[in-house]
Amino acid sequence: MKTRTMDDPFPLDEPSSPAPVAAPAWLETLNPEQREAVTATEGPVLVLSGAGTGKTRVLTTRLAYILATCRVRPWQVLAVTFTNKAAREMRERATSLIGPDAEQVWLGTFHSLGVRLLRRHGALVGLRPGFTILDSDDQQRLLKQIMDAERLDLKRWQPQVALSLLQRWKDRGWLPEAVPADDPSRSFAEGRLLDLYRQYQDRLMVVNAADFGDLLLHCLTLLTRNPQVLAEVSGQFRYILVDEYQDTNVAQYLWLRLLARAHGNLCCVGDDDQSIYSWRGAAVGNILRFEEDFPGATLVRLESNYRSTSTILAAASGLIRHNQGRLGKELRSGLDTQELGPPIKVWGVWDGAEEARRVVDEIEARQRAGDALGGMAILVRVGFQTREFEERLIVTGTPYRVIGGPRFYERQEIRDAVAYLRLAVQPDDSLAFERVVNVPRRGLGEATLQILNRVARLERISLQEAARRVIETDEVRAAARNKLRAFLADLSRWRALGDGLDPSSLCATILDESGYVDMWRKDRAPDAEGRVENLKELVGALKEFDTLEGFLEHVSLVMDNEARAGEQAVTLMTLHAAKGLEFDTVFLPGWEEDIFPHRRALEESGAEGLEEERRLAYVGLTRARRRVYISFAASRRVFADWRSCLPSRFLDELPPETVERESASGVYGSGAQGHMDAPGGWGRVQQSPGWGRSSRREAATFQVGQRVVHDSFGVGDVLDVAGDRLEIVFEGGAVRKVMASFVKAMG
């Protein structure tokens, strides 16, 4: 008899099936809806799990129940998660319930399980043993080589943009021959993207490599073109469990359908109201269409929440009810002792600085009342919002930590900008000089820097003084000397400007003239737009300082304020990063139009974008166990400019009985510290989707191929017209969906 190993998961001689046993005692610890989700083992099952309803417990218990009571072996169960951390936690919990049998379950992320299949059957899709999985940097370098050979202008058609478009195709399960003729992305690089895709895939095969998108795409090819492999694999996995189903993309969905075809025992757990990652390729339609895709499916709703107060649950349910694209559920208290809880506090303040003071003052008050700092979180919609809160937390000496990214002044783009400012104050700052001398790229590479460092050490002078001496010699190439001479001239000019410009204007000038902001504007990496926003926020922050020296001293103190390991600290993070976490007290600042819902989401995706923004608000509310504070400002310095703000439409959608409204005197017509009794509560002016623009352009007034201009994205060509939305390819190759009211026709 052949012995089974983890590397050989399909045994030729399978042992006899285990005998069924009585229902385990731990099943009695579940509530009725959880028990139904666990015991409905046969056929397709969708577990619609609301926030705080015990999703992980249900998924783990279902896995344990299948192994403990059904006639299957552990390796006949496939459990798919989105993160390695979730997979480890699930395996540990299952092991605690049923013992070592849980170790033999196929449990992991989509990509890790795809690798296991391809290691065994890769030859059938052209992969040789020991194939390499390329990281993003290697993928980009490989595609750049191909684009170079095709003599494409890499400044206009950037490899990282091309790679993101190819990944989008792979997320949809499209091989080169399957890309639809009318897909707008094909227009990239003068209509040559499809050919680049073919060459890229061919080159991957030559070097015996796969990228992350291939790990699922090759599996789809393997299973659709090799019926015997599909029969073998789907025959092995008698039960399939999927976590976070609302976050699956099209390729993952197709993969699951293939594997479940033989038996139909597919159980997907997810929450359509928490689908917030469309920008990663997640398709909320996968969960919304489940009952259509799997006829006869059992739908179980988990609605008993064990986390939040009844007030928070009512507010979250009332808000999300405004979404049309949802299956529908109503969160309710799952604990007999669950209290009604205090109302959600909604504060109207004059500006962002007052908002930060108000939030931090409340944090200190809650701490004095005995609440732990570790149980409090400030959740922002966009990263640049963190700066004012960080500043205030530092002033008050309140420990904090930033999750999902570095602190504001520790971010790469901010460190680079501050280095430029340091050089404007102190020419001999060699560390700052070394950091930015070739950022953005000026043709002053490592060889030039080595020469400058050698001269500086030998002469005991700064790098900038060494550069002044070197440009008068033949130590470096003529081209590098010219670039270095131009950079030194820029530094001298910026220092001279410092006598006549305020710090904010000087910073804006340096970032503009150096090409640093433009470098990030042209970068098509997912985080590039956020980096530009952070730089604008830095320019705005400098308006609070009279001198550049005062600002740099402030930054030094901020950077030295590192929280000690293990210390209780307030958590500061974005709403996207907060999914899956929970806190006793949650602060939700910046609930204003353009910030939340975010203007870009509405421009690019219209009604779908608004619904995803509302789901994000729902996620924010349901992170809280006991208290929620929401705030909005009458005016806000967004980057370097002051602007008047309208309260978020989401505030009007909160059930009035769950909210206590409070505003500073005069803000939206409210009395000092008084409740706001006007209809809608905030005196919001009802706006068309154009948000107060003088007129709204209908998409029907535009035609495919027409040249248009957008305030944020620049000049582009219309690819498609649908309702009030346009699909446009902008210069640089980015394809975006925008509202017709936000573009103007050219010519």
Side-chain angles (χ1 to χ4, degrees):
M1 179 180 295
K2 182 179 178 182
T3 302
R4 178 190 170 278
T5 68
M6 293 303 292
D7 293 328
D8 183 21
F10 307 105
L12 298 178
D13 299 305
E14 188 175 301
S16 59
S17 298
V21 297
W26 34 258
L27 208 57
E28 299 302 317
T29 64
L30 305 177
N31 68 33
E33 56 199 28
Q34 291 174 333
R35 192 176 303 117
E36 180 185 4
V38 167
T39 58
T41 58
E42 306 308 308
V45 178
L46 175 62
V47 180
L48 205 58
S49 177
T53 58
K55 169 184 69 71
T56 303
R57 183 184 187 192
V58 165
L59 198 64
T60 304
T61 308
R62 180 182 173 90
L63 171 60
Y65 179 80
I66 288 172
L67 296 180
T69 65
C70 296
R71 305 180 68 86
V72 296
R73 295 295 183 183
W75 56 88
Q76 292 178 301
V77 179
L78 174 67
V80 188
T81 67
F82 267 83
T83 66
N84 291 316
K85 179 182 177 182
R88 287 193 301 271
E89 181 180 352
M90 189 173 174
R91 193 183 297 278
E92 289 169 1
R93 290 193 183 191
T95 301
S96 69
L97 292 175
I98 62 170
D101 277 356
E103 295 294 329
Q104 299 184 61
V105 173
W106 271 54
L107 199 163
T109 65
F110 280 98
H111 291 102
S112 67
L113 295 171
V115 170
R116 289 183 67 180
L117 285 175
L118 293 175
R119 292 296 181 197
R120 179 175 177 85
H121 297 291
L124 295 175
V125 293
L127 292 172
R128 300 184 295 281
F131 67 85
T132 302
I133 302 170
L134 299 186
D135 61 22
S136 57
D137 182 64
D138 287 334
Q139 294 167 32
Q140 189 171 312
R141 287 196 295 115
L142 180 61
L143 187 57
K144 181 177 181 294
Q145 292 172 8
I146 296 170
M147 296 176 73
D148 268 333
E150 290 295 309
R151 300 182 183 278
L152 285 168
D153 182 352
L154 299 186
K155 291 184 178 179
R156 183 180 181 189
W157 310 108
Q158 298 179 37
Q160 59 266 41
V161 179
L163 196 61
S164 67
L165 295 175
L166 297 188
Q167 186 59 55
R168 184 188 302 176
W169 285 350
K170 292 187 178 187
D171 285 345
R172 295 175 182 175
W174 293 341
L175 290 166
E177 59 269 24
V179 177
D182 60 351
D183 186 83
S185 298
R186 292 179 63 146
S187 64
F188 181 85
E190 301 172 343
R192 297 161 69 180
L193 184 63
L194 186 61
D195 182 56
L196 293 176
Y197 187 15
R198 292 193 182 98
Q199 291 190 52
Y200 176 69
Q201 292 301 99
D202 288 344
R203 187 61 184 165
L204 284 172
M205 286 299 175
V206 169
V207 299
N208 196 32
D211 64 21
F212 282 100
D214 288 329
L215 299 181
L216 286 178
L217 192 63
H218 283 325
C219 282
L220 289 176
T221 303
L222 171 70
L223 298 175
T224 54
R225 296 183 181 178
N226 299 276
Q228 74 283 1
V229 176
L230 176 59
E232 180 183 13
V233 177
S234 62
Q236 178 197 346
F237 297 129
R238 297 279 300 281
Y239 294 94
I240 302 174
L241 290 76
V242 185
D243 191 15
E244 303 287 8
Y245 187 61
Q246 79 279 349
D247 293 334
T248 53
N249 60 36
V250 174
Q252 291 162 342
Y253 158 79
L254 294 172
W255 188 71
L256 291 169
R257 287 205 67 174
L258 284 169
L259 294 183
R261 179 182 295 175
H263 48 74
N265 294 330
L266 172 66
C267 175
C268 296
V269 181
D271 184 2
D272 53 335
D273 291 334
Q274 295 190 72
S275 180
I276 59 174
Y277 297 123
S278 64
W279 45 279
R280 292 183 185 171
V284 68
N286 291 347
I287 194 169
L288 297 178
R289 294 192 311 269
F290 189 89
E291 292 177 285
E292 298 175 24
D293 294 336
F294 302 95
T298 299
L299 177 61
V300 182
R301 288 179 169 86
L302 303 184
E303 299 173 308
S304 297
N305 176 281
Y306 295 92
R307 174 191 302 160
S308 306
T309 66
S310 296
T311 298
I312 293 172
L313 299 181
S317 295
L319 175 69
I320 201 63
R321 210 178 289 130
H322 288 79
N323 270 7
Q324 300 297 313
R326 63 189 297 259
L327 296 173
K329 61 183 176 303
E330 201 77 16
L331 292 180
R332 61 178 181 272
S333 172
L335 297 173
D336 294 337
T337 58
Q338 196 155 12
E339 61 183 295
L340 180 64
I344 291 173
K345 298 285 186 68
V346 180
W347 297 332
V349 298
W350 277 113
D351 56 28
E354 183 186 347
E355 180 181 54
R357 286 195 300 271
R358 188 73 186 273
V359 167
V360 177
D361 285 350
E362 186 64 24
I363 288 172
E364 291 182 317
R366 295 254 42 96
Q367 187 182 21
R368 287 193 298 270
D371 292 355
L373 288 177
M376 292 184 258
I378 304 170
L379 308 182
V380 300
R381 173 60 183 87
V382 283
F384 75 81
Q385 289 178 264
T386 66
R387 185 194 62 82
E388 284 186 307
F389 293 100
E390 289 191 60
E391 301 269 9
R392 187 63 187 171
L393 289 164
I394 289 167
V395 166
T396 60
T398 306
Y400 73 96
R401 57 174 169 265
V402 178
I403 305 297
R407 298 177 177 218
F408 184 82
Y409 289 107
E410 293 173 351
R411 292 166 180 162
Q412 175 190 343
E413 65 278 11
I414 302 302
R415 284 181 177 271
D416 288 345
V418 169
Y420 273 109
L421 297 178
R422 284 162 54 186
L423 287 174
V425 172
Q426 174 50 263
D428 292 332
D429 190 333
S430 292
L431 292 176
F433 184 91
E434 187 170 11
R435 183 178 183 94
V436 299
V437 66
N438 199 39
V439 180
R441 294 188 183 279
R442 300 184 174 90
L444 300 171
E446 191 63 32
T448 301
L449 199 55
Q450 286 178 358
I451 292 172
L452 294 180
N453 272 303
R454 186 171 68 248
V455 171
R457 284 195 304 271
L458 290 174
E459 302 291 333
R460 299 178 63 81
I461 55 178
S462 69
L463 282 179
Q464 189 166 166
E465 181 59 31
R468 294 191 186 285
R469 299 187 186 186
V470 163
I471 60 176
E472 303 301 330
T473 72
D474 294 323
E475 293 286 344
V476 297
R477 293 178 295 106
R481 286 201 306 274
N482 291 334
K483 296 287 187 181
L484 200 53
R485 185 177 288 109
F487 181 57
L488 293 174
D490 286 339
L491 292 178
S492 296
R493 184 176 69 258
W494 295 331
R495 279 196 296 277
L497 286 175
D499 294 331
L501 291 179
D502 62 85
S504 178
S505 299
L506 178 61
C507 180
T509 299
I510 292 175
L511 293 178
D512 179 48
E513 293 184 355
S514 66
Y516 189 77
V517 172
D518 195 48
M519 175 188 78
W520 287 117
R521 284 194 178 120
K522 292 179 179 178
D523 194 307
R524 298 302 173 184
D527 62 348
E529 190 167 3
R531 293 182 188 274
V532 174
E533 289 182 343
N534 290 335
L535 290 169
K536 291 179 179 178
E537 177 67 14
L538 175 68
V539 172
L542 275 155
K543 288 184 177 293
E544 301 172 10
F545 294 87
D546 295 327
T547 66
L548 194 52
E549 290 86 350
F551 169 75
L552 293 173
E553 180 179 315
H554 169 75
V555 171
S556 299
L557 295 174
V558 167
M559 298 289 279
D560 193 48
N561 193 69
E562 193 68 41
R564 293 182 292 275
E567 184 178 33
Q568 278 282 320
V570 175
T571 297
L572 184 56
M573 65 199 307
T574 65
L575 284 160
H576 281 101
K579 186 171 177 290
L581 303 178
E582 57 186 77
F583 306 89
D584 287 330
T585 301
V586 166
F587 296 88
L588 301 172
W591 278 42
E592 299 134 28
E593 294 293 316
D594 286 12
I595 291 181
F596 197 31
H598 199 281
R599 175 176 176 173
R600 186 172 65 248
L602 302 193
E603 285 182 342
E604 295 184 3
S605 303
E608 292 176 4
L610 175 60
E611 295 214 341
E612 181 157 330
E613 290 289 289
R614 190 177 285 114
R615 292 195 292 268
L616 195 55
Y618 171 87
V619 166
L621 288 168
T622 55
R623 297 313 91 199
R625 289 189 282 256
R626 291 185 53 78
R627 297 179 184 83
V628 176
Y629 298 83
I630 300 173
S631 53
F632 65 93
S635 59
R636 187 178 293 278
R637 177 181 280 157
V638 180
F639 311 134
D641 301 318
W642 282 100
R643 65 178 63 170
S644 297
C645 305
L646 284 174
S648 169
R649 66 192 74 189
F650 297 152
L651 293 170
D652 289 342
E653 296 173 356
L654 295 172
E657 65 275 10
T658 67
V659 174
E660 180 180 295
R661 301 170 176 180
E662 183 180 315
S663 174
S665 177
V667 178
Y668 300 106
S670 167
Q673 306 302 311
H675 297 285
M676 305 182 74
D677 300 320
W682 310 111
R684 293 182 69 248
V685 179
Q686 295 301 313
Q687 302 284 341
S688 73
W691 299 331
R693 297 212 173 189
S694 57
S695 63
R696 181 181 176 187
R697 296 290 303 272
E698 296 296 334
T701 64
F702 295 96
Q703 298 178 346
V704 174
Q706 188 171 3
R707 195 77 165 162
V708 296
V709 62
H710 185 283
D711 288 348
S712 302
F713 306 136
V715 176
D717 298 305
V718 177
L719 296 175
D720 187 41
V721 179
D724 62 350
R725 280 185 287 168
L726 305 174
E727 194 161 64
I728 301 172
V729 57
F730 290 96
E731 290 183 349
V735 177
R736 298 181 184 272
K737 292 181 180 178
V738 303
M739 300 294 291
S741 53
F742 288 95
V743 299
K744 298 177 182 177
M746 294 185 67

